[in-house]
Amino acid sequence: VDQILANMERWRWVPADLGRLHIWNNLPEYMTRVVKDGSIIHEERIIIGQPETQTPVFSAPMNQVVFQPEWGVPPSIKINDLLPKLQDGDFDVLSRRDMRILSLKGRELDPERFNWDKVDIRDVGIYQRAGDANPLGLVKFLFPNKHHVYMHDTNNRALFKHNDRTFSHGCVRVRDPQKFAELILGEDQGWDKKKVAKN
């Protein structure tokens, strides 16, 4: 009964009409589906948030597909992983991970210019460049929302072999993002595979 009530409450927050073409992430099933005119035209495995960083239930329009994305390092990693090293004077920790500090105007800043014992690292824009080590992989799918979650590729595809796929910090990872991008951009923008591949 509790499970039925919880699911009814979740359903209450989903719009009655999701549109002619929409993406449905079934979190308990670890699956995403693209639905067109009421029929499933694509489905794929996904990875969702860990129990302590659960993927929220909501609906929002997808408005952007970003190829070769940079990764904005989340506050938890800044505080727990990067800050202690920077406070100890290990200023190369960022370059070793292909990360950089960017100002609001997009100018790269030297980590040595900060007093890491006083600055709030959560306010410092730290980004990892696109590449093989980037946890976002080759593409991300944005649907602006207050939870700051989105769908994206991953550099650790072995995790998709697991039955219980709760490994993310809240975002949704897609097993075959290239095919997902081809389908979405083909349906919405008329792109063919060659145009998607060029990005």
Side-chain angles (χ1 to χ4, degrees), residues 163-177:
N163 290 327
D164 181 4
R165 294 188 292 277
T166 53
F167 299 111
S168 85
H169 291 279
C171 287
V172 176
R173 303 178 195 172
V174 185
R175 183 170 66 170
D176 190 345

Side-chain angles (χ1 to χ4, degrees), residues 78-91 93 111 114-121:
K78 290 180 186 178
I79 293 168
N80 300 320
D81 187 14
L82 298 178
L83 183 59
K85 294 175 177 65
L86 291 166
Q87 287 175 328
D88 287 342
D90 181 6
F91 301 119
V93 65
F114 293 85
N115 181 342
W116 294 108
D117 290 320
K118 293 184 178 180
V119 72
D120 187 343
I121 197 169

Side-chain angles (χ1 to χ4, degrees), residues 46-83:
I46 56 173
I47 288 170
I48 65 170
Q50 303 169 56
E52 62 274 14
T53 55
Q54 293 182 22
T55 301
V57 176
F58 67 97
S59 177
M62 183 179 291
N63 67 356
Q64 194 175 12
V65 177
V66 179
F67 294 94
Q68 301 296 327
E70 283 199 331
W71 178 52
V73 180
S76 60
I77 294 176
K78 290 180 186 178
I79 293 168
N80 300 320
D81 187 14
L82 298 178
L83 183 59

Side-chain angles (χ1 to χ4, degrees), residues 87-139:
Q87 287 175 328
D88 287 342
D90 181 6
F91 301 119
D92 292 330
V93 65
L94 299 181
S95 60
R96 286 196 307 271
R97 300 180 187 190
D98 209 15
M99 294 178 179
R100 59 185 179 156
I101 298 172
L102 294 179
S103 71
L104 292 176
K105 294 182 178 179
R107 189 168 54 92
E108 191 165 345
L109 305 175
D110 189 331
E112 293 188 47
R113 70 177 283 181
F114 293 85
N115 181 342
W116 294 108
D117 290 320
K118 293 184 178 180
V119 72
D120 187 343
I121 197 169
R122 293 172 297 183
D123 297 331
V124 179
I126 302 176
Y127 300 88
Q128 185 176 40
R129 291 179 176 88
D132 293 338
N134 189 308
L136 300 185
L138 301 176
V139 60

